[in-house]
Amino acid sequence: MKKTVSVIGLGNRGTEYMGFLRHFHSSKTEIYALCDIRQQALDDIAPKYNIPKERQFISPEAFFSRGVISDALIIATQDASHYEITKKAILTGYKLILLEKPVSGVKAEYTELNNLARENNALLIICHVLRYSNYYSKIKEIISSGKIGDIVTINHTENVGYFHFAHSFVRGNWRDEFTSTPSILAKCCHDIDLIAWFVDSPCVSVSSVGSLKYFRRENAPEGATPYCMGGCKAKSRCPYDAEKLYITDPFWKAKFIKYMKRTLTGKAKNSKADIINAVRSGDYGRCVFMCDNNVCDNQLVNMTFENGASAVLNMNGFSHKMFRECHIIGTKGELVGYGNKLKLHIFGGKTERINTGIIPSGHVEGDIRLISGFVKILCGETGDLTDITTIDATVISHNIALAAEESRKKGGERIFLEKE
Ligand SMILES: NC(=O)c1ccc[n+]([C@@H]2O[C@H](COP(=O)([O-])OP(=O)(O)OC[C@H]3O[C@@H](n4cnc5c(N)ncnc54)[C@H](O)[C@@H]3O)[C@@H](O)[C@H]2O)c1
């Protein structure tokens, strides 16, 4: 018999995971029920998966009122709703839950979920998708092999990409720390998770500086208007021109906007007029200097660990690149990662280029492997949770990110983490 999976939150992430379940695991799993607070989302997605009306739910309350109706649950709603929905899921009796990151920006909330999961024997897996990719698994494997000796320090950069930053953290869903979380948690809980995973020792202290430097009203060029298509005089010189990014430039249309149309309009199928209307007067058509954003566009985080290692994370929203760089320095050698390219230097030895396989786009490969791991657990094919990103691991990255925010707000003061 196939294992059943229900999905709450039918946006980009929820539907991507559903697609992988159908594409790679349809012999073992089936999507059973759907829940979203937007009727449009249910109308768009339910027919594709033949989900009957009685298994479509317009609110988490309606969904949970039916008790446990599937073997597993995916929660892929926006950040601020994760805590309430996950708590309800555990208390309703779901035993296998895949939850999107970040879990919560409030320590008491993610700690409570961790405790609740343990007390109720529920496995709560958080989507730290990068850990599942060939590239990062390979880095971890090399570190664990001892080839580079003990880690002394890590220098990790998250180049969010100027257009991506503007889309998500200035105009979009993660622009406001009060409706989502600070950018160091929303974007970089992955990076902090990787660093803590590589070092494999408790984090002792954190200090951080950062700011919202650029995407502010006072930096608007002369002649700028609240909407790019509202007569802006600086349009032709502005790399953030929404008309160019979302409508006219063939490069962006192919590379980026292909995936973002639903985000712009809220609909799965869009005409050209829908997109133009969304850019003319919607959130994503706004001048990047005149939005209601408040999250940092640059932040540095220094970390020290119990085993003597240190790390620095540099998150910035300005690079033309949209990938991470990672330099891991050990006592016997070093690893240099640039995008998906990886080099291993052993001191006194040769430099080796490591083939980590091709990453097709962003972290899709990690996403696919995360779902494969989830399905193995769901189907009882493994009890080994060594490489599974359960909420225990998430607590570590979230504690570090929140300490970084605290430090930043205190002018870079060193914050010592409590031993968990
Ligand atoms: N793991 C990763 O690498 C990664 C990458 C991107 C986003 N995310 C996270 O995934 C989550 C979803 O992101 P997304 O880009 O898919 O967002 P999205 O806005 O495209 O989708 C969210 C969906 O949830 C629905 N929703 C919102 N509140 C709800 C509620 N209370 N009950 C039911 N449905 C609700 C919305 O209507 C929407 O359809 C976010 O928390 C985000 O931070 C994770």
Side-chain angles (χ1 to χ4, degrees):
M1 217 160 74
K2 287 187 186 182
K3 296 286 182 184
T4 51
V5 181
S6 298
V7 181
I8 306 183
L10 308 176
N12 292 321
R13 303 298 298 171
T15 53
E16 185 192 54
Y17 294 143
M18 287 168 68
F20 296 153
L21 284 172
R22 177 156 71 180
H23 194 77
F24 299 109
H25 306 286
S26 58
S27 61
K28 294 178 180 174
T29 66
E30 74 172 277
I31 306 291
Y32 187 75
L34 300 177
C35 171
D36 200 293
I37 49 171
R38 287 183 305 118
Q39 188 60 45
Q40 178 78 54
L42 290 167
D43 293 345
D44 285 341
I45 310 299
K48 291 188 183 166
Y49 290 82
N50 296 324
I51 308 296
K53 280 273 177 230
E54 63 274 18
R55 287 194 253 129
Q56 299 174 28
F57 300 91
I58 193 66
S59 69
E61 293 71 31
F63 175 81
F64 289 118
S65 71
R66 295 273 298 276
V68 176
I69 56 173
S70 57
D71 298 308
L73 184 59
I74 294 177
I75 301 171
T77 55
Q78 276 298 342
D79 307 1
S81 57
H82 290 173
Y83 163 70
E84 288 293 350
I85 297 176
T86 309
K87 183 174 173 179
K88 191 78 186 149
I90 298 172
L91 295 177
T92 301
Y94 282 90
K95 297 297 178 202
L96 180 57
I97 303 164
L98 186 68
L99 169 65
E100 260 305 351
K101 51 78 356 193
V103 175
S104 162
V106 179
K107 184 171 178 175
E109 292 184 354
Y110 60 74
T111 308
E112 184 188 348
L113 290 182
N114 192 14
N115 293 337
L116 274 177
R118 200 173 301 129
E119 286 157 19
N120 289 276
N121 204 20
L123 185 59
L124 179 53
I125 301 172
I126 311 304
C127 300
H128 288 297
V129 296
L130 296 179
R131 277 211 208 182
Y132 297 83
S133 67
N134 268 338
Y135 175 78
Y136 287 108
S137 312
K138 192 72 194 171
I139 293 180
K140 178 69 177 174
E141 186 190 308
I142 293 169
I143 293 169
S144 304
S145 75
K147 277 185 187 166
I148 63 164
D150 295 334
I151 294 177
V152 178
T153 192
I154 296 180
N155 189 354
H156 182 98
T157 302
E158 162 59 310
N159 302 300
V160 183
Y162 72 95
F163 52 94
H164 182 204
F165 194 88
H167 175 85
S168 295
F169 298 93
V170 180
R171 292 174 165 135
N173 289 327
W174 298 276
R175 65 184 185 268
D176 179 359
E177 67 170 289
F178 301 107
T179 55
S180 65
T181 56
S183 49
I184 201 67
L185 179 61
K187 188 65 189 144
C188 291
C189 65
H190 281 321
D191 303 278
I192 295 169
D193 175 66
L194 288 171
I195 291 168
W197 186 47
F198 294 154
V199 173
D200 198 18
S201 175
C203 182
V204 174
S205 75
V206 172
S207 62
S208 180
V209 290
S211 64
L212 172 56
K213 174 175 165 45
Y214 189 55
F215 298 104
R216 313 170 70 98
R217 220 154 261 268
E218 60 266 33
N219 291 324
E222 215 182 304
T225 49
Y227 287 86
C228 299
M229 291 177 79
C232 175
K233 302 256 182 323
K235 217 166 171 294
S236 62
R237 287 169 280 124
C238 181
Y240 301 101
D241 171 21
E243 186 174 6
K244 180 166 62 202
L245 287 176
Y246 296 115
I247 302 173
T248 53
D249 189 313
F251 175 77
W252 294 114
K253 269 163 83 177
K255 291 274 178 201
F256 188 55
I257 196 59
K258 194 172 145 198
Y259 304 102
M260 296 301 164
K261 284 182 189 158
R262 193 194 351 239
T263 307
L264 256 63
T265 65
K267 294 195 299 184
K269 282 196 186 130
N270 290 288
S271 64
K272 192 163 182 194
D274 290 334
I275 304 286
I276 292 172
N277 283 339
V279 175
R280 202 184 293 281
S281 57
D283 282 354
Y284 293 90
R286 294 182 294 174
C287 171
V288 290
F289 303 104
M290 299 187 196
C291 290
D292 50 351
N293 56 311
N294 55 32
V295 299
C296 286
D297 56 25
N298 71 97
Q299 191 160 358
L300 291 175
V301 184
N302 292 311
M303 291 158 251
T304 64
F305 295 88
E306 203 170 87
N307 65 2
S310 64
V312 58
L313 165 66
N314 179 343
M315 183 276 290
N316 77 85
F318 298 98
S319 175
H320 70 281
K321 307 167 202 163
M322 201 175 86
F323 56 75
R324 295 167 162 92
E325 295 169 69
C326 189
H327 188 181
I328 303 171
I329 299 159
T331 49
K332 294 181 184 166
E334 62 192 311
L335 275 165
V336 182
Y338 186 80
N340 62 0
K341 298 189 183 83
L342 188 61
K343 274 191 212 164
L344 169 65
H345 306 271
I346 301 297
F347 303 149
K350 284 185 185 163
T351 294
E352 200 187 324
R353 282 192 165 71
I354 311 280
N355 182 1
T356 58
I358 295 161
I359 300 176
S361 156
H363 45 65
V364 170
E365 182 223 336
D367 299 349
I368 293 172
R369 286 169 183 273
L370 165 80
I371 291 298
S372 299
F374 171 71
V375 168
K376 274 192 182 162
I377 294 169
L378 173 61
C379 297
E381 290 166 11
T382 180
D384 179 10
L385 300 178
T386 322
D387 293 324
I388 299 296
T389 48
T390 60
I391 188 165
D392 296 295
T394 302
V395 166
I396 296 169
S397 63
H398 284 37
N399 281 348
I400 295 174
L402 292 190
E405 252 324 78
E406 185 185 343
S407 167
R408 189 185 71 80
K409 287 180 174 160
K410 290 178 175 168
E413 190 182 299
R414 193 170 178 197
I415 305 294
F416 288 86
L417 277 89
E418 287 164 28
K419 272 203 164 182
E420 292 294 323

